Amino acid sequence: MAEAIAFDLAAELITKLSSFTLSQIGLWWNAKDDLDDLKSTVSTIKVVLLDAEERSVTSQLVKDWLEKLRDVLYDANDLLDDFSTEALRKDLLGGNKLTKEVRLFFSSSNQFAYGLKMGRKMKAIKARLISIGSEAKVFNLVERDRPMETSFMTKKRQQTHSFEREDEIIGRDDDKAALLKLMLEFESEENVYIIPIVGFGGLGKTALAQLVYNHERVKNHFELMMFACVSDDFDVKVIVANIIKSVTDLAPDQNLEMDQLQKQLRAKIDGKKYLLVLDDIWNEDPGKWYSLKKLLMGGAKGSRIIVTTRSLRVAEITNKCESHVLKLKGLSDNDAWSLFKRIAFEQGYVDSTSSAFVEVGKQILERCGGVPLAIRTIAGTLSLKKTVNEWHSFKEIELAKISQIEGDILPTLKLSYDHLPSHLKHCFAYCRLYPKDHEIDVRTLVQFWIAQGFVKQLNPSQSLEEIGFGYFKDLVERSFFQELVEYGNGDMICKMHDLMHDLAELVAGMESSIIDSNKISSDVGEKCRHISINPSLIPLFKGKKLRTLLRSPNMGTQNLSQETWDFVIANCRCLRVLKLNGLDFENISPSIYKLKHLRYLDLSWNPHIKNLPKSICKIQNLKALKLDWWKLTSLEKLSAFVVDKDGSHGSADLSELRLLNNLRGELTIRNLGFVKNAKEKFKAANFKEKQHLRSLALLWDGGNDDDDDKSLEDLQPHPNLKELCIGGWRDEEPTIRLLMLSLDSSNQRKVRFFTCPPVLLYPNFYNRCSNPISRMLSYRRLWKTLNSPSWPITNIIGTVVFYAGRGRLW
């Protein structure tokens, strides 16, 4: 991936080096000249990188040069991030200027020494860049430039449908008819008959299986239907668990033994006429297949198992009758053209009846070999090109570079990757960290991209997450992801086709790796930047430049020792993403603050953890902290809780407060205006059991408040509550906020007024306001709510006053 991302890394560095913030940092540490020199050097190299990227396809020397450049650009990026983090820490220190400077000088991280150290590092990086720049002269690279490809973020295009839709599958009518006949009409001697679908990647084996699986005749014919992915690891226990999950929609307990699982499976399928799809089998060991098969033979007569595989050997093991093996081939010329034409011309940029486009289109189509996935990706790339000259250029220049290998379409698929804008190349290659057939949580993937700096905020009105989801949709439209499923609550999951996973592995190179054995751990190079790893192998990893460390998703519960924590903190100081969910450990190292580049930290599903170290607050760059399913029932202090603005994705949900009944002091809850199903959510928060809570602030902050009057009635705080503050409720005009008056422990009037900026109100407030009573008329319903029997708030003293005017109150 080095040849694809060097340009983007250089552009990002130049942007940082041009910022006012970094200029001020340079002045603080007397490094401005070095920073200016670094910017000049990177700018000089950047202008030839587009040419170098294209040359690297055919020149190993250029590719090696780009890999060296990538490493130093990464190091420079880490250095600038270090500068910015230290400046942020400096800016956040309290006290007056003199006190601050004294504290900085005598602190353990003496700023003068820090400046000298950073200066030495910067000079070393600058020297490396100058050396690499001089090497480029032998390649005779030319300066090239092109406009930023931002159209992918702003252009609205109809999302392509997946292969699961019948009306989108072209050229498989005969295969579908043959498969339906074997499933519904053929009478076998065996109760359970196995039908293999075989063909190389991208032909649509899974799509055909899904098409028939969802056919109405099939649904009416079988009593029980199941679909399970198998993929690389043919683990019978895992496969049985996945089949059970397909039946019950619940994953079995991971601690169950194989004997218990097989009893559960047989209880579900024995005596029933069932259909089971086992998708993507690679195992060619007859013994392993037999150990699974014998558990599945109890079905009633007429039961069927569909097996999809790339291996003809697997097909022969599962069914000895060759005539009943469906061998998929490439699409016919007519069907291939129909599919190509549907996608390539769907944007309406070009005329599908134009003889010029048709001629060059059919020439390009010849190189796709009738493979539906190749056709979709190539046609998707062409759909964004508006002139016949661009299509000719694609055929003459891009297609001429590849050598189509029989049975291997990766070179063809890589063309679509080559045509991605650089920010999407980053994002796609990063997905190499997921195992094949893994269900990818889209929100988490986007957060990973943000943490790595892949998502560029060109439009300040859009959040990074919104832009990141736009990136994902762009990749979906180019068929880089498949099987996209959107749930009613806004969650999305997807998968990568095996062929696309192979492509991601190809373009990521040695920069990313999945480590699941001692050998792989020792083989991975020290310059690897992203890993998904079995936690027990972490201490064996040699690299010290990691930016991502993910716990492998397919590993069961494992212990994470203090020694492993110490190793991560001592050797992985460049981490941006750390995901250690679902492990068996009780304490988080207090030294975690040393991971100062960290943006994303996931410690979810670790029920034995009782508290977070205070030092976690020192990770100033942290943007996402996931603590899903922590049993923090003893938590006593939670100053703020921010509801997810989407009201979706399973994060920051009010129900997470349900068991936190030991909360004390003050609690502020923001973004309540974005809560969906507010009546249900307010009840789920269980405020009536929080007897130790003294102050509760509820801030709406915009959003949809259609049922807020009901949700307030359902709050029912405990009678011990001393102070209730409500801000932004039914915010009909821009400056509406709330005034809350109560008596504190010294019997003094206490005032809370939520506005921007906060305003101090005086005891004679009523005399100085401009007719506040008339402004309160639209809030009678809330007034009644606050005085209704469903609110046993006996200790609140004073009045709740709302003001909905514009400008100042006096």
Side-chain angles (χ1 to χ4, degrees):
M1 190 171 65
E3 64 274 16
I5 67 172
F7 179 86
D8 202 46
L9 283 172
E12 183 179 356
L13 274 176
I14 293 171
T15 299
K16 288 182 177 180
L17 289 164
S18 303
S19 70
F20 174 77
T21 301
L22 206 61
S23 176
Q24 292 300 109
I25 292 172
L27 292 174
W28 287 346
W29 283 298
N30 196 28
K32 189 175 187 307
D33 290 342
D34 286 331
L35 288 170
D36 289 342
D37 289 346
L38 184 61
K39 177 184 174 182
S40 176
T41 304
V42 175
S43 299
T44 301
I45 295 175
K46 174 178 172 284
V47 295
V48 299
L49 288 183
L50 293 177
D51 187 49
E53 178 181 333
E54 187 171 308
R55 296 265 298 276
S56 68
V57 177
T58 56
S59 171
Q60 185 62 41
L61 289 176
V62 176
K63 186 174 182 178
D64 293 342
W65 177 81
L66 279 169
E67 288 179 352
K68 286 196 298 183
L69 176 62
R70 173 205 63 183
D71 289 333
V72 69
L73 291 176
Y74 268 132
D75 290 344
N77 189 287
D78 287 337
L79 182 65
L80 296 187
D81 197 56
D82 200 310
F83 265 126
S84 300
T85 302
E86 186 65 16
L88 178 61
R89 188 190 71 82
K90 182 173 186 272
D91 187 56
L92 291 176
L93 286 174
N96 59 43
K97 183 177 180 181
L98 179 60
T99 304
K100 184 187 297 184
E101 294 303 323
V102 171
R103 184 187 296 119
L104 284 170
F105 186 81
F106 288 103
S107 67
S108 58
S109 57
N110 180 277
Q111 297 301 293
F112 180 71
Y114 175 84
L116 290 177
K117 182 176 71 172
M118 291 297 105
R120 288 194 296 269
K121 287 186 176 182
M122 189 171 300
K123 286 179 170 59
I125 285 175
K126 188 172 65 174
R128 289 167 62 192
L129 280 170
I130 291 173
S131 175
I132 290 172
S134 64
E135 292 176 14
K137 296 177 181 178
V138 301
F139 303 129
N140 296 319
L141 298 175
V142 298
E143 295 184 9
R144 285 182 47 190
D145 198 6
R146 63 184 177 199
M148 291 293 292
E149 300 183 59
T150 58
S151 58
F152 300 105
M153 294 171 53
T154 58
K155 194 180 300 175
K156 293 184 178 180
R157 303 185 299 274
Q158 184 176 0
Q159 184 172 317
T160 56
H161 299 293
S162 72
F163 281 114
E164 295 175 11
R165 290 180 57 88
E166 182 172 357
D167 57 351
E168 287 295 311
I169 298 180
I170 293 176
R172 294 298 181 203
D173 290 345
D174 292 341
D175 295 316
K176 182 181 76 171
L179 184 54
L180 285 172
K181 185 174 182 178
L182 287 172
M183 293 174 64
L184 305 177
E185 301 175 13
F186 172 70
E187 295 185 4
S188 67
E189 297 180 359
E190 302 172 345
N191 285 355
V192 181
Y193 192 72
I194 301 167
I195 307 170
I197 304 176
V198 65
F200 62 81
L203 281 177
K205 302 181 295 295
T206 301
L208 176 61
Q210 290 171 331
L211 176 65
V212 172
Y213 184 87
N214 291 292
H215 196 282
E216 281 302 314
R217 286 180 61 196
V218 172
K219 290 179 179 179
N220 295 330
H221 184 79
F222 293 99
E223 183 180 357
L224 181 65
M225 300 181 67
M226 300 160 287
F227 198 107
C229 291
V230 180
S231 200
D232 295 344
D233 187 15
F234 194 93
D235 187 319
V236 174
K237 184 177 179 180
V238 173
I239 297 170
V240 168
N242 285 338
I243 296 173
I244 294 172
K245 182 180 178 181
S246 179
V247 177
T248 65
D249 289 331
L250 293 173
D253 188 337
Q254 290 185 348
N255 297 319
L256 290 179
E257 297 294 330
M258 183 61 205
D259 187 61
Q260 296 169 298
L261 285 173
Q262 66 90 12
K263 287 179 181 177
Q264 283 191 22
L265 174 64
R266 291 175 58 196
K268 297 293 182 184
I269 68 174
D270 282 2
K272 296 179 181 177
K273 185 164 69 173
Y274 71 79
L275 169 62
L276 169 64
V277 176
L278 293 175
D279 188 42
D280 199 19
I281 293 183
W282 290 75
N283 165 60
E284 296 183 351
D285 182 349
K288 287 185 176 181
W289 167 250
Y290 179 74
S291 65
L292 174 64
K293 180 181 176 182
K294 67 182 180 180
L295 301 178
L296 303 173
M297 293 297 103
K301 191 170 183 61
S303 295
R304 296 289 187 265
I305 299 176
I306 296 177
V307 169
T308 69
T309 179
R310 296 188 191 187
S311 168
L312 187 59
R313 172 64 176 157
V314 171
E316 292 170 350
I317 291 172
T318 56
N319 191 318
K320 303 297 183 183
C321 182
E322 186 176 352
S323 62
H324 288 174
V325 175
L326 268 68
K327 299 177 182 178
L328 292 195
K329 299 178 181 179
L331 300 180
S332 68
D333 289 346
N334 288 339
D335 288 332
W337 176 247
S338 295
L339 178 60
F340 179 92
K341 183 168 63 173
R342 174 181 294 184
I343 298 172
F345 297 102
E346 69 176 348
Q347 305 300 331
Y349 294 153
V350 296
D351 184 2
S352 61
T353 62
S354 167
S355 59
F357 279 105
V358 170
E359 180 181 359
V360 69
K362 289 188 174 180
Q363 292 171 356
I364 292 172
L365 184 61
E366 291 177 3
R367 303 301 300 272
C368 295
V371 179
L373 182 60
I375 295 170
R376 283 182 174 274
T377 52
I378 294 297
T381 298
L382 290 172
S383 71
L384 302 175
K385 300 183 182 299
K386 302 180 181 180
T387 67
V388 72
N389 286 338
E390 289 180 290
W391 283 41
H392 272 294
S393 176
F394 180 90
K395 179 181 77 74
E396 298 297 333
I397 299 175
E398 314 304 332
L399 284 177
K401 294 178 184 176
I402 70 169
S403 56
Q404 180 74 27
I405 303 172
E406 180 112 17
D408 184 359
I409 62 170
L410 278 183
T412 303
L413 293 181
K414 189 175 180 296
L415 283 177
S416 292
Y417 171 82
D418 292 338
H419 274 256
L420 288 175
S422 57
H423 62 276
L424 293 186
K425 288 179 179 177
H426 275 111
C427 296
F428 171 70
Y430 192 81
C431 297
R432 183 266 184 276
L433 293 175
Y434 292 103
K436 287 185 176 180
D437 276 327
H438 183 73
E439 287 189 348
I440 300 172
D441 180 88
V442 176
R443 180 181 177 85
T444 299
L445 175 60
V446 169
Q447 289 175 333
F448 287 167
W449 291 344
I450 292 171
Q452 296 299 335
F454 298 161
V455 179
K456 312 299 182 186
Q457 194 171 25
L458 301 180
N459 183 357
S461 65
Q462 280 187 297
S463 70
L464 285 171
E465 194 163 89
E466 289 172 328
I467 298 170
F469 272 99
Y471 287 11
F472 172 76
K473 290 178 181 178
D474 287 337
L475 290 168
V476 168
E477 290 175 353
R478 290 164 174 77
S479 298
F480 284 92
F481 294 105
Q482 65 168 13
E483 297 186 42
L484 179 65
V485 177
E486 297 189 50
Y487 294 102
N489 62 356
D491 285 350
M492 283 193 288
I493 61 171
C494 69
K495 287 187 177 182
M496 292 179 69
H497 190 282
D498 282 355
L499 206 58
M500 284 301 183
H501 191 280
D502 293 340
L503 177 62
E505 185 173 350
L506 172 70
V507 298
M510 296 303 295
E511 185 164 307
S512 302
S513 182
I514 296 177
I515 300 177
D516 54 13
S517 71
N518 291 0
K519 182 179 185 301
I520 296 177
S521 181
S522 60
D523 288 347
V524 172
E526 293 186 5
K527 294 182 180 180
C528 182
R529 306 280 173 169
H530 313 285
I531 61 170
S532 174
I533 189 169
N534 181 330
S536 65
L537 301 175
I538 291 175
L540 302 179
F541 183 71
K542 298 177 181 178
K544 293 190 176 183
K545 296 186 176 183
L546 275 185
R547 290 180 163 225
T548 303
L549 195 161
L550 306 181
R551 171 198 183 275
S552 295
N554 291 336
M555 301 297 165
T557 302
Q558 295 186 14
N559 180 55
L560 192 72
S561 66
Q562 184 61 46
E563 290 75 15
T564 302
W565 266 116
D566 293 341
F567 178 89
V568 170
I569 292 168
N571 294 278
C572 306
R573 295 289 179 85
C574 296
L575 278 177
R576 267 69 173 174
V577 171
L578 178 59
K579 194 173 191 289
L580 296 175
N581 58 306
L583 297 172
D584 187 15
F585 63 99
E586 296 183 1
N587 297 307
I588 301 168
S589 173
S591 299
I592 194 170
Y593 74 93
K594 294 182 180 179
L595 303 179
K596 59 183 176 181
H597 298 287
L598 204 59
R599 267 73 171 174
Y600 180 99
L601 177 61
D602 186 354
L603 300 171
S604 300
W605 296 90
N606 292 310
H608 299 298
I609 297 178
K610 302 301 181 185
N611 54 60
L612 288 171
K614 292 182 179 180
S615 59
I616 205 168
C617 299
K618 297 181 180 179
I619 310 177
Q620 292 154 348
N621 288 308
L622 194 63
K623 296 180 181 295
L625 175 61
K626 294 196 68 176
L627 304 173
D628 297 352
W629 291 99
W630 271 37
K631 298 178 181 180
L632 299 178
T633 55
S634 299
L635 190 67
E636 294 186 0
K637 180 65 176 177
L638 181 64
S639 58
F641 186 90
V642 183
V643 176
D644 180 25
K645 281 192 175 183
D646 293 2
S648 62
H649 305 303
S651 62
D653 190 288
L654 282 177
S655 61
E656 296 175 28
L657 299 172
R658 184 174 66 88
L659 297 177
L660 305 186
N661 294 331
N662 289 313
L663 290 178
R664 300 171 185 272
E666 300 180 355
L667 171 61
T668 298
I669 303 178
R670 303 193 66 97
N671 288 347
L672 287 171
F674 297 92
V675 173
K676 297 179 180 178
N677 302 317
K679 184 179 182 70
E680 171 190 336
K681 296 299 184 183
F682 269 69
K683 285 185 177 180
N686 195 26
F687 286 108
K688 64 182 178 181
E689 298 296 332
K690 296 172 178 37
Q691 58 180 318
H692 306 294
L693 206 59
R694 293 296 179 263
S695 174
L696 179 61
L698 306 173
L699 308 184
W700 258 248
D701 300 315
N704 184 355
D705 61 356
D706 290 343
D707 61 353
D708 286 349
D709 53 330
K710 296 178 182 178
S711 63
L712 283 171
E713 294 173 357
D714 295 318
L715 262 175
Q716 297 187 20
H718 194 278
N720 289 346
L721 194 69
K722 296 289 186 184
E723 184 180 76
L724 175 68
C725 305
I726 303 172
W729 189 82
R730 291 200 175 276
D731 196 345
E732 298 176 355
E733 295 189 50
T735 60
I736 177 173
R737 286 296 183 262
L738 165 136
L739 167 68
M740 178 67 210
L741 304 176
S742 64
L743 297 182
D744 62 16
S745 58
S746 303
N747 212 34
Q748 298 295 316
R749 181 183 294 266
K750 191 171 184 179
V751 178
R752 287 280 184 100
F753 184 74
F754 290 91
T755 188
C756 292
V759 180
L760 178 63
L761 301 181
Y762 296 98
N764 57 349
F765 161 74
Y766 294 104
N767 297 328
R768 307 183 74 150
C769 283
S770 174
N771 192 16
I773 302 301
S774 64
R775 299 288 188 176
M776 292 172 55
L777 295 179
S778 61
Y779 299 98
R780 290 174 183 254
R781 295 170 73 188
L782 177 61
W783 184 262
K784 291 179 180 180
T785 298
L786 291 176
N787 288 276
S788 68
S790 63
W791 280 64
I793 312 176
T794 58
N795 291 336
I796 287 189
I797 309 296
T799 311
V800 181
V801 178
F802 296 88
Y803 182 79
R806 297 176 182 271
R808 299 182 66 85
L809 293 179
W810 59 81

